């Protein structure tokens, strides 16, 4: 075929047309954009317009020979594509027709097309056989500014804390021996306590600033040092100290809180029992009030009723022991009692047995142990009596009469810990993503071309697809957890049932997300990711258990689902279903409208990128799952099935609802945050991250949406393509995005990330 | 409502009707079965038949009040349900109407319904408020007989090997220090070598039985002892010894193979380089023939060209070094050369540097290291010269003229190792599933009922759903890998390209499956799964890297997809795409017929359980993905895109094809195996396992099938319900199924599994 030449007027459009048709994503709205630009372009003659419009007809796309000719024209021009300029394709076109533009003004219409189609060099640079002057990373965004957004109002605290982590005591090292490792971690905890970080969430009278929100941020940052340090820190100050703060009263605060916050009194939180992992109400340890001695006797009745996996058990002098409180022969339900474990010489006190849990998959710097009590008597004053007390006459009192409500109110004060676990998981994911992305921007992988160097790993579409949605999710979860902690701490809202339920669901999906991310990062780094020195391996072992502790994820999702079912009116955490059923019985109607077929097949970019679509999809899923679930349960009950069995039969349905609700909540919380950002490039970036999160989540559950007829096959495919494309669009910014997490340089010790 | 009473004739059917209507799965074919039984039952009057048939009308299902009455009738009878009899529901019915049956013969029609509907106690026992005399495990199948089927022709070898593993040297223990751990593992390897297990796959002249298939089974069983032992064993005998056996000739065999098999000569396999993980052809180490000294000089040119992650590097006396062989200034491609590393005193020889890779996420009993060569000369005879040789005159010869073909033929001889890695992954999954299932059959979880004891974990639907499909998959992959090794060893088939490609795909999906299974088991065991003593934690760390070594899974899937695309005519392992393109260019037509709407909505059990449906679905997926992929690539090429870029653009599509093909292959291989089993209960059991695997896999990719219009929404939902139901049906047999893996009692050391 003879090479056809084009007039300058046509030629300027050819790179655009070539990109448009080479792409898999020519949509009606995109064609429209180009048509409009063409029609308005005064530089084109009528004939030229017709010619160009003819090349835009989706019914009769340009022939392969035509496109090949375009390509040859472009290649033979020897014009260089400069990736880092503002409008690379328009500038490229301009230079292609330099002889023409020399005499004519720059064609603004090309720029308009470039903007409106969101065309980015990553979409097309591989299409051109031209030299690309490129920089693997764009500096359009600043990591520092992103970090500032993420720190929000806690910037000062976090900056100070990160600087503190630069002390040599926090230098990462391998500790294989658990005794040695535990000593290192204990020293780190004491170091932080001396600098007042342990007491941060306590009232000012006890060395703190009452800053639970800041505490959660700090907790996430601790993961950049080490998982064991994070958990040990949380046990000492959050669980042990927190139980004194929340469940105790002034006498306990005055006596213990200062020392606890300074890590001078080490303590543990003895709730879980071997036989009763997730069923706190069913624990068997007893705390029997003995009027004769005015003391409370703590006792482990059976062989499997010992306290289990108690962090800090080997180092502690004292424990907050959760036990069935029996006063005058009556069980008043679970209460916490402070029980001294060891004397000044660190010898166990009489009646107390502690056994090391031994080596674990991770967190070997935390001293987990089992504890047995054999008729251990402590003074009546040791009862943490904020929600229930025994008076001098030996009578039990509580301002919460309903024992169920009392129990869940007590537990509810500890929900902050659940947010912190999710935050720590998120910190682990961010760190692993930081390592994997930086590695992928340094490591080159083989390709088949002899003339060009091996590609960066990060330039492979499959690599972009495996890491980018995870990075976007980290942003969504970051702001979601911020908001949850704010709500949890809001003293204007004393009824915490809604936030407790929401945290139950979010803790599950975020810790699972964290584990999946870390695993993906391990594999994305190949053999290098397997070496301890590169830090991902430890994170894998450490974060793994986050799915289990502070509430097993499956159990938490069931709670969340029950909350949604009962419109958050059911007693939180209640294993009983009656309150849910009561509400279900009241009224049920399917308020969901049938989905319009035009909607189920709408595939244009404007629609797919619109948060309204994402919110509608998530809301539809939650509502539909709630309705069908309620109908199923009601039918079972009508048939006479015991409510417990009915709930068992719908267990997988409940889990689906719990997840669906949590994803919806996270997305809505994130878009609320973005909605109040000032207009500008960072808001645009965050919107894009939100869109990627939403489309990725819809993709993950596409089968459900397809089954329901909510998505048509083409729309589902279009979403997949959009996810891939968004990953490519974010490729130049991926390093800035992980740097935006603000992981301190001195913590990022992985050799492959340097 | 007044309680209605029923005649004995009606009453006998009521438990069946209650079960049928309480279930979510009343299908037309099930109703048909009951209708037929009713019509043929001579004990019923016309009126009674009409009454019963009326209760079967799906258009007008029995009212809730009616069903409640049935339930009360059943409950108030105080008849006990005996789960362990052969026809529990029919017997229950019989006892319910004892006054009637006292005078009448047992109604065979009830038995027929029970058989044809496949009703099992797990479906209905929770529906009855009656005492259930139950046994958590059925003894209908024997674990020993299942194990015998799994061992197949290798029973004698495996039994002997398992007995050997009972030696105290293999007792599981925690080894935190890598030096200590490595010594333990080395002693274990030597112990096995002394008993001739190391040389098993070598010819008889060198101490073996030439039994590669048996070797693979043994390899899987090694995982029950320890992952590090498995890998160290594989490096010494499979990789180092295997390279001498396969790439060397008689002179090498005579000189080294006996000693290698006895672990008297320890060696390593030095292929991978830091800079070139997955690109063996691109390795940079050189082996330059020097005619002056008649020697080959091994050299590491650059800082990142060292050998990396070389197992056994610290203990080895010798290495099989892969390097670019340069003879008379010409690069003849990658060859292997035996290079002594250390002297008798275990000191490194001049020019050789070895560095410990340090601690890893797992496999710390394996001494991985980096190796550098600085102009190390070895005799010409050290070239492993089966596929290419240098003669006395210093000229290079090979009977395979095409250097690409030569390279891939050499690599192909090592594919057995890839099957072994998949087998080891499978062994890890089996072990973890054994622990998790046994734990779930011992551990009770809280429920809401006061009168009944806490449920076994294994009785929760979500728990069944998370573990049972994984158990079924283990069976499918077991027989698939058996077959692959048989094909690989079949000397009647010298062209191994097909099996090499198939193994590439299977290794990927099976090692990913293994990791997912182990993770699921860890979470299913809660905190207990996190303790090293319960063995799952080590498996997690050890098996993790199986997705990366012996070929990164992503790279292998791309190879598999390329094989499928080119109908296995492309050069295996070739990074070049030209051969694929040549074939694609030849002819392409979409032979897939449009799917009939009746088919896409067929939800009856007979259809969903029919292997024809599963095969059709898998085949449709592979074909459709192949066709659309080929079309996309062809279009890109037509538009002038370089082939390398075209393949990059379709990377995620290639991965999907690689997975789809591998799943289809595994299922077909398994059904072929089952097809030749004698009729009987084990064949029925295996058919059920195959069905669960198939439906579970279709579910996992349901979004794709829905997008294509291959599945309708209702069919997709029906498949989900069938998966849940199959898990419930297999519940009584779950312990036998994991015991059927044949994990020796002495290896199953996890306290939670005892």
């Amino acid at each position: 075929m003879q090479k056809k030449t084009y007039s300058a007027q046509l030629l300027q459009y050819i790179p655009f047309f070539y990109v448009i048709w080479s792409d898999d994503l020519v949509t009606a709205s995109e064609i429209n954009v180009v048509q409009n630009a063409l029609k308005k372009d005064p530089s084109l003659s009528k004939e030229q317009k017709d010619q160009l419009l003819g090349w835009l007809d989706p019914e009769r796309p340009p022939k392969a020979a035509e496109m090949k000719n375009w390509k040859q024209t472009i290649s033979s021009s020897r014009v260089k594509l400069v990736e880092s300029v503002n409008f690379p394709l328009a500038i490229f076109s301009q230079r292609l027709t330099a002889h023409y533009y020399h005499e004519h003004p720059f064609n603004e219409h090309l720029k308009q097309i470039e903007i409106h189609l969101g065309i980015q060099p990553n979409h097309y640079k591989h299409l051109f056989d031209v030299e690309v002057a490129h920089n693997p990373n764009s500096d359009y965004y600043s990591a520092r500014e992103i970090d500032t957004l993420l720190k929000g109002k806690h910037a000062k605290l976090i900056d100070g804390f990160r600087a503190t982590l630069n002390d040599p005591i926090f230098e990462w090292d391998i500790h294989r021996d658990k005794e040695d490792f535990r000593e290192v971690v204990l020293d780190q905890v004491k170091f932080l306590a001396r600098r007042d970080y342990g007491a941060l969430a306590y009232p000012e009278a006890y060395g703190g600033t009452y800053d639970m929100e800041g505490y959660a941020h700090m907790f996430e940052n601790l993961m950049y040092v080490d998982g064991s340090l994070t958990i040990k820190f949380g046990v000492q100050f959050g669980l042990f100290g927190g139980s004194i703060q929340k469940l105790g009263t002034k006498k306990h605060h005055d006596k213990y809180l200062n020392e606890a916050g300074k890590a001078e009194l080490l303590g543990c939180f003895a709730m879980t029992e071997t036989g009763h992992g997730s069923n706190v109400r069913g624990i068997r340890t007893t705390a029997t009030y003995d009027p004769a001695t005015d003391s409370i006797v703590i006792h482990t009745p059976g062989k499997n009723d010992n306290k289990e996996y108690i962090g800090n058990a080997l180092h502690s002098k004292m424990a907050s022991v959760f036990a069935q409180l029996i006063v005058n022969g009556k069980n008043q339900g679970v209460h916490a009692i402070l029980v001294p474990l060891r004397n000044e010489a660190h010898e166990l006190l009489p009646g107390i047995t502690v056994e090391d849990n031994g080596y674990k998959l991770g967190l070997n710097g935390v001293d987990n142990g089992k504890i047995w009590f054999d008729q251990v008597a402590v003074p009546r004053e040791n009862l943490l009596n904020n929600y229930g007390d025994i008076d001098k006459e030996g009578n039990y009192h509580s301002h919460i009469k309903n024992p169920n409500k009392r129990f869940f109110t007590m537990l509810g004060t500890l929900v902050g810990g659940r947010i912190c676990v999710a935050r720590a998981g998120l910190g682990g994911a961010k760190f692993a993503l930081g390592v994997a992305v930086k590695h992928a921007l340094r490591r080159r992988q083989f390709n088949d071309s002899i003339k060009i160097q091996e590609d960066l790993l990060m330039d492979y579409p499959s690599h972009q697809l495996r890491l980018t949605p995870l990075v976007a999710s980290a942003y969504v979860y970051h702001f979601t957890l911020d908001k949850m902690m704010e709500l949890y701490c809001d003293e204007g809202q004393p009824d915490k049932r809604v936030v407790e339920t929401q945290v139950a669901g979010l803790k599950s999906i975020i810790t699972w997300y964290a584990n999946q991310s870390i695993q993906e990062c391990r594999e994305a780094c190949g053999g290098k990711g397997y070496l301890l020195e590169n830090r991902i391996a430890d994170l894998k072992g450490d974060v793994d258990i986050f799915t289990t502790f502070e509430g097993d994820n499956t159990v938490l999702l069931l709670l969340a689902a029950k909350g949604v079912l009962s419109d958050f009116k059911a007693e939180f955490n209640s294993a009983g279903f009656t309150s849910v059923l009561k509400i279900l019985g009241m009224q049920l109607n399917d308020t969901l409208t049938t989905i319009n077929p035009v909607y189920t097949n709408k595939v244009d970019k404007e629609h797919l990128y619109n948060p309204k679509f994402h919110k509608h999809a998530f809301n539809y899923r939650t509502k539909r799952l709630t309705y069908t679930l309620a109908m199923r349960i009601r039918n079972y009950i009508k048939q006479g099935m015991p409510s417990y069995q009915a709930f068992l039969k719908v267990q997988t349905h409940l889990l689906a609802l719990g997840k669906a609700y949590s994803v919806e909540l996270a997305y809505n919380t994130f878009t609320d945050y973005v909605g109040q950002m000032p207009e500008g490039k960072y808001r645009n970036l965050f919107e894009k991250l939100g869109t990627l999160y939403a489309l990725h989540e819809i993709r993950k559950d596409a089968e459900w949406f397809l089954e329901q007829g909510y998505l048509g096959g083409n729309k589902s495919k279009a979403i997949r393509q959009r996810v891939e494309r968004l990953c490519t669009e974010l490729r130049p910014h991926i390093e800035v995005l992980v740097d935006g997490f603000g992981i301190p340089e001195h913590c990022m010790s992985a050799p492959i990330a340097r």
Side-chain angles (χ1 to χ4, degrees), chain A residues 11 59 164 180 187 199 211 269 356 368 390 394 407 411 505 707 725:
Chain A
L11 186 55
E59 299 294 311
T164 305
D180 161 49
D187 286 347
D211 184 6
F269 183 82
D356 192 339
N368 290 91
I390 304 170
F407 174 71
L411 277 196
E707 275 177 12
R725 183 152 172 177

Side-chain angles (χ1 to χ4, degrees), chain A residues 140-141 674 677-687:
Chain A
Y140 184 66
Y141 298 108
V674 175
M677 283 175 77
E679 296 282 347
K681 64 181 186 177
Y682 289 99
R683 178 164 166 166
N684 295 344
L685 175 67
F686 279 32
E687 279 168 354

Side-chain angles (χ1 to χ4, degrees), chain A residues 22 29 70 113 156 251 659 675:
Chain A
S22 299
S29 65
W70 293 350
I113 297 175
K156 204 180 144 200
K251 63 181 176 189
K659 277 185 208 171

Side-chain angles (χ1 to χ4, degrees), chain A residues 79-121:
Chain A
V79 169
K80 197 163 157 180
L81 181 80
V82 184
E83 220 184 354
S84 50
V85 296
N86 267 343
F87 301 98
L89 200 59
I91 301 283
F92 180 77
S93 274
Q94 193 181 3
R95 299 186 61 208
L96 204 61
T97 53
H99 58 287
Y100 172 80
Y101 273 110
H102 196 63
E103 298 162 38
H104 293 81
F106 178 64
N107 191 338
E108 279 295 320
H109 298 86
L110 296 176
K111 209 173 100 181
Q112 289 309 314
I113 297 175
E114 190 160 1
I115 293 170
H116 284 110
L117 262 54
I119 304 178
Q120 302 216 0

Side-chain angles (χ1 to χ4, degrees), chain A residues 59-307:
Chain A
E59 299 294 311
R60 294 185 304 132
K63 296 215 163 50
E66 186 79 59
M67 288 187 62
K68 201 162 185 173
N69 202 49
W70 293 350
K71 189 186 155 72
Q72 282 172 359
T73 305
I74 293 167
S75 303
S76 58
S77 73
R78 302 191 166 272
V79 169
K80 197 163 157 180
L81 181 80
V82 184
E83 220 184 354
S84 50
V85 296
N86 267 343
F87 301 98
L89 200 59
I91 301 283
F92 180 77
S93 274
Q94 193 181 3
R95 299 186 61 208
L96 204 61
T97 53
H99 58 287
Y100 172 80
Y101 273 110
H102 196 63
E103 298 162 38
H104 293 81
F106 178 64
N107 191 338
E108 279 295 320
H109 298 86
L110 296 176
K111 209 173 100 181
Q112 289 309 314
I113 297 175
E114 190 160 1
I115 293 170
H116 284 110
L117 262 54
I119 304 178
Q120 302 216 0
N122 282 296
H123 297 154
Y124 55 79
K125 67 181 188 203
H126 58 276
L127 301 173
F128 296 152
D129 250 352
V130 294
E131 196 186 342
V132 177
H134 69 133
N135 174 350
N137 299 306
S138 153
D139 58 0
Y140 184 66
Y141 298 108
S142 141
R144 266 180 71 132
E145 291 201 38
I146 294 175
D147 182 35
T148 301
L149 290 169
L150 264 62
K151 286 182 292 198
K153 60 186 173 186
H154 311 289
K156 204 180 144 200
L157 169 74
I158 298 171
D159 288 340
F161 187 66
R162 287 177 180 165
T164 305
L165 298 182
N166 201 8
D167 191 278
I169 196 173
F170 298 111
E171 241 166 57
W172 185 82
D173 205 351
I174 292 173
H175 302 284
R176 296 295 290 178
D177 178 73
K178 64 182 162 63
E179 311 307 330
D180 161 49
F181 194 3
R182 290 167 180 182
E183 287 308 315
V184 170
V185 170
L186 181 59
D187 286 347
Q188 292 171 334
V189 166
K190 287 179 174 169
F191 181 96
L192 291 172
R194 284 195 299 273
R195 277 148 190 84
D196 295 334
Y197 288 113
L200 195 76
Y202 304 159
E204 290 184 17
Y206 306 101
T209 56
Y210 206 53
D211 184 6
M212 188 69 188
E213 294 176 63
Y215 178 89
H217 270 266
M218 189 177 65
F219 203 71
E220 182 181 324
N221 277 271
L222 276 176
M223 285 298 290
Y224 305 149
V225 175
D226 177 54
S228 290
L229 168 61
T230 312
I231 299 309
K232 179 97 170 175
F233 188 94
V235 168
Q236 169 66 24
F237 306 114
L239 292 177
F240 173 64
S243 69
I244 296 172
Q245 180 193 4
K246 305 277 179 61
L247 305 180
T249 49
K250 191 163 184 301
K251 63 181 176 189
H252 304 111
H253 300 167
D254 290 346
K255 199 162 172 186
Y256 304 113
L257 210 48
N258 261 314
E259 274 190 290
K262 294 219 177 314
E264 285 159 11
L265 172 66
L266 295 176
C268 57
F269 183 82
M271 182 188 267
T272 305
E273 293 178 0
T274 302
H276 304 82
S278 296
N279 181 13
V280 178
R281 272 205 301 187
I283 57 170
R284 310 252 343 247
T285 302
T286 52
T288 312
Y289 177 65
D290 175 13
T293 55
D294 195 24
S295 63
I296 298 171
V297 180
I298 313 292
H299 187 65
T300 307
K303 147 171 117 71
N304 284 324
D305 301 327
N306 60 289
K307 297 296 176 185

Side-chain angles (χ1 to χ4, degrees), chain A residues 289 327-328 332 380 389-397:
Chain A
Y289 177 65
V327 185
N328 295 328
Q332 299 291 353
R380 176 169 56 88
D389 200 3
I390 304 170
D391 65 21
K392 279 180 203 160
E393 285 70 40
N395 296 313
Y396 179 83
H397 297 280

